[in-house]
């Protein structure tokens, strides 16, 4: 799993990930299929209104929080949700992406057996372009990101290739759409 700057998982963590994947695979497969169907339906609705849409199916999604010695104001420090997209999707993303665009976002999410399935919708009303990214990740690995998001008041979505080539990032002025229970979870810890 690609996780910018994260330590390499140890054997216990890898075993836990394998167990998470193989535990109740039908429910996870169904949730992923529903996530992709939802993404396509959302894109179709905007296309019917004349928007240009790009849909991305992340081959891998990871979360990364801030380390205790990270300075969130340092532009080299990245935290947020990282989506790895295949090369054929990367070209479509690069054609649509504008560094200063996409000020509107929404998140559609569901949890199944400790895994978060989400579609992130990013809209640029000026160009009537929308990018949809479908991904999923293990919920309990997101705790460092949840804490960073609450502390910083927001988070980022990053899109990259498998070789970690950065394609683009989106800043979100909140975290509640991604982690609706964040305030409660951080208060309990």
């Amino acid at each position: 799993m690609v996780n910018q700057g994260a330590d390499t998982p140890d054997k216990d963590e890898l075993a836990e990930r394998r167990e998470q994947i193989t535990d109740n695979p039908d429910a996870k497969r169904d949730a992923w299929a529903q996530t992709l169907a939802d993404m396509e339906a959302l894109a179709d609705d905007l296309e019917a209104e004349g928007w240009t849409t790009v849909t991305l199916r992340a081959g891998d999604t990871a979360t990364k929080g801030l380390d205790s010695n990270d300075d969130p104001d340092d532009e080299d420090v990245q935290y947020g949700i990282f989506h790895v997209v295949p090369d054929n999707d990367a070209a479509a993303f690069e054609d649509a992406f504008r560094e200063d665009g996409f000020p509107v976002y929404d998140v559609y999410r569901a949890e199944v057996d400790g895994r978060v399935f989400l579609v992130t919708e990013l809209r640029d009303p000026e160009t009537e372009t929308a990018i949809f990214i479908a991904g999923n990740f293990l919920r309990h690995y997101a705790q460092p990101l949840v804490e960073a998001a609450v502390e910083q008041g927001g988070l980022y979505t990053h899109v990259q290739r498998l070789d970690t080539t950065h394609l683009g990032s989106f800043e979100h002025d909140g975290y509640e759409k991604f982690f609706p229970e964040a305030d409660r979870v951080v208060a309990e810890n």
Side-chain angles (χ1 to χ4, degrees), residues 5-183:
D7 294 329
T8 304
D10 62 21
K11 289 180 184 181
D12 291 337
E13 185 176 339
L14 289 173
E16 183 180 347
R17 287 182 186 180
R18 278 192 296 279
E19 184 178 319
Q20 284 278 344
I21 291 168
T22 59
D23 187 35
N24 202 1
D26 290 339
K28 292 178 181 102
R29 186 174 37 253
D30 292 346
W32 182 239
Q34 185 62 55
T35 300
L36 297 176
D38 290 348
M39 177 178 68
E40 294 299 333
L42 291 162
D44 289 347
D45 287 348
L46 274 183
E47 284 178 5
E49 295 176 19
W51 285 61
T52 300
T53 64
V54 174
T55 57
L56 306 172
R57 298 173 184 204
D60 193 19
T61 299
T63 60
K64 181 184 181 298
L66 293 168
D67 293 330
S68 60
N69 59 345
D70 284 343
D71 177 1
D73 296 326
D74 181 348
E75 63 185 48
D76 292 331
V77 173
Q78 293 185 329
Y79 68 98
I81 300 174
F82 292 80
H83 296 285
V84 178
V85 298
D87 287 341
N88 57 334
D89 284 347
F93 176 83
E94 289 175 313
D95 289 343
F97 180 73
R98 287 185 337 133
E99 186 100 15
D100 61 343
F102 303 92
V104 180
Y105 73 96
D106 216 334
V107 178
Y108 307 89
R109 67 186 302 280
E111 278 193 51
V112 175
D113 292 338
R115 185 168 285 279
V116 175
F117 294 85
L118 76 157
V119 174
T120 305
E121 175 183 4
L122 305 145
R123 285 175 287 175
D124 183 2
E126 185 179 317
T127 63
E128 292 192 337
T129 302
I131 297 173
F132 295 88
I133 308 169
N136 69 88
F137 56 87
L138 288 171
R139 174 68 181 89
H140 71 272
Y141 288 129
Q143 185 62 29
L145 174 57
V146 171
E147 292 169 3
V150 169
E151 183 178 311
Q152 299 301 314
L155 58 92
Y156 294 85
T157 295
H158 304 282
V159 179
Q160 65 186 44
R161 293 178 189 258
L162 183 58
D163 67 3
T164 70
T165 300
H166 181 259
L167 300 174
S169 295
F170 305 90
E171 182 176 4
H172 308 295
D173 58 0
Y175 53 84
E176 297 84 359
K177 292 179 181 183
F178 293 94
F179 302 106
E181 72 290 354
D183 291 326

